[in-house]
Amino acid sequence: LKKNLLTSQALELISLVNSWIPAYLISGLGSGLVSALNYAKQLSDSPTEILTWRVCAVNKIELSEDAAQKDKQALNVHFLRTNRLLLFMLTPLAVFSCFYALDIIRLFFERGNFTLQAARNAAAFLQPLLIMMLLFIPITMQNNLFSAERKLKEAFPYLLVSNLIFTGAVIWGVKQWGAFAYPYVQVVCCFIGFGINKFLFNKHFPHIQYGRAMLDMARLAALNVLALLPAAACTCVCGFKTPFFTLLSGGIVFLAALYGLTKYSGDWQIFINAARQSRLPSPFK
């Protein structure tokens, strides 16, 4: 327990340092860029705080119970189910908001001294940060599994390498390509981390279908991108000048197309059944 606690604190310290480095680097690159980043983070972090962390907190208890009972089958089922539920709920938000990032920023913040250029800067940060919002789901789920199985000490070398790769990459990336490189470096490092974690899962969690969890994310992302195509076409044809009507018309078309696709593919029914079987609070249960 003591070793796991020290490992956890060490990882938290590294993550804290990695959260400071980008802001420090960006603050010296131009006026307004840190503010643009903060505006974008306000929007991208909200779904993570409201949904991902709360649902994963419940799931962490469930996984811990399964691990204590040494029920590997239940552990795999509950890991995959919660991972898929969160992806099903947040992938539409991430895909839609990536395409309409500028309109969303303008709707929420463009008033007073917040200029169109400031909106464009914030939107440039928001798009990759929304991808990160989605990637936080498997990241948090995998961290839950490390804790539930009490494998933090074993996971430490893998997680340490991932964090150090990010530290070096973000310093190099921001110096090479500027402030807007930061969130893209973060996305690339996440995928590198997933590759590193594959070796960890093969060694310590062979009973968890790690590849299935990643394929679920890719599959749902593909469905949402397909559903976005008619919404994007509608936006180009209608050409509303105000962000509100652009988002309203695009959102209606996107959700209608997504509902039809998920009904046809069977993903909608899978989501409903999984939500009813899970421990998620109302209205999901």
Side-chain angles (χ1 to χ4, degrees), residues 121 179 229 241:
N121 288 342
L229 295 178
K241 293 183 179 180

Side-chain angles (χ1 to χ4, degrees), residues 188-206:
V188 171
C189 287
C190 274
F191 281 105
I192 294 173
F194 290 146
I196 293 172
N197 282 355
K198 181 69 168 68
F199 293 98
L200 171 65
F201 272 66
N202 287 343
K203 184 176 181 179
H204 296 287
F205 311 119

Side-chain angles (χ1 to χ4, degrees), residues 29-232:
L29 295 179
S31 60
L33 289 176
V34 173
S35 296
L37 175 61
N38 288 334
Y39 281 120
K41 285 182 70 66
Q42 285 180 37
L43 294 175
S44 65
D45 288 349
S46 296
T48 300
E49 295 171 359
I50 294 170
L51 192 60
T52 302
W53 288 350
R54 295 187 181 186
V55 171
C56 285
V58 176
N59 175 255
K60 187 175 183 179
I61 298 171
E62 193 171 40
L63 295 181
S64 297
E65 291 175 355
D66 294 334
Q69 296 169 7
K70 301 187 184 301
D71 192 339
K72 294 183 178 180
Q73 183 177 357
L75 194 69
N76 180 59
V77 169
H78 294 149
F79 174 82
L80 292 175
R81 178 192 294 159
T82 304
N83 183 73
R84 187 178 176 84
L85 283 171
L86 284 169
L87 287 171
F88 191 95
M89 289 185 282
L90 289 183
T91 302
L93 179 63
V95 171
F96 179 83
S97 299
C98 274
F99 183 80
Y100 291 97
L102 181 58
D103 293 293
I104 291 171
I105 291 291
R106 290 183 62 196
L107 180 65
F108 280 98
F109 301 119
E110 194 179 58
R111 58 185 60 87
N113 293 326
F114 196 91
T115 64
L116 180 59
Q117 184 56 48
R120 287 173 176 160
N121 288 342
F125 280 119
L126 179 60
Q127 289 172 321
L129 287 175
L130 287 166
I131 300 174
M132 278 305 306
M133 176 198 75
L134 204 58
L135 297 180
F136 274 132
I137 295 172
I139 289 171
T140 308
M141 289 298 303
Q142 290 169 28
N143 289 340
N144 277 358
L145 191 62
F146 301 152
S147 298
E149 290 273 30
R150 297 185 179 181
K151 295 288 187 180
L152 286 174
K153 181 169 66 70
E154 291 80 359
F156 180 73
Y158 301 88
L159 299 177
L160 178 62
V161 169
S162 297
N163 278 279
L164 290 179
I165 288 174
F166 172 76
T167 304
V170 76
I171 293 173
W172 178 78
V174 171
K175 287 185 176 180
Q176 284 289 115
W177 296 304
F180 299 112
Y182 152 59
Y184 289 100
V185 169
Q186 195 176 20
V187 170
V188 171
C189 287
C190 274
F191 281 105
I192 294 173
F194 290 146
I196 293 172
N197 282 355
K198 181 69 168 68
F199 293 98
L200 171 65
F201 272 66
N202 287 343
K203 184 176 181 179
H204 296 287
F205 311 119
H207 49 285
I208 300 295
Q209 293 176 287
Y210 184 84
R212 170 71 180 276
M214 295 292 102
L215 285 174
D216 282 343
M217 181 168 62
R219 171 184 167 78
L220 288 169
L223 281 173
N224 278 270
V225 170
L226 284 175
L228 181 66
L229 295 178

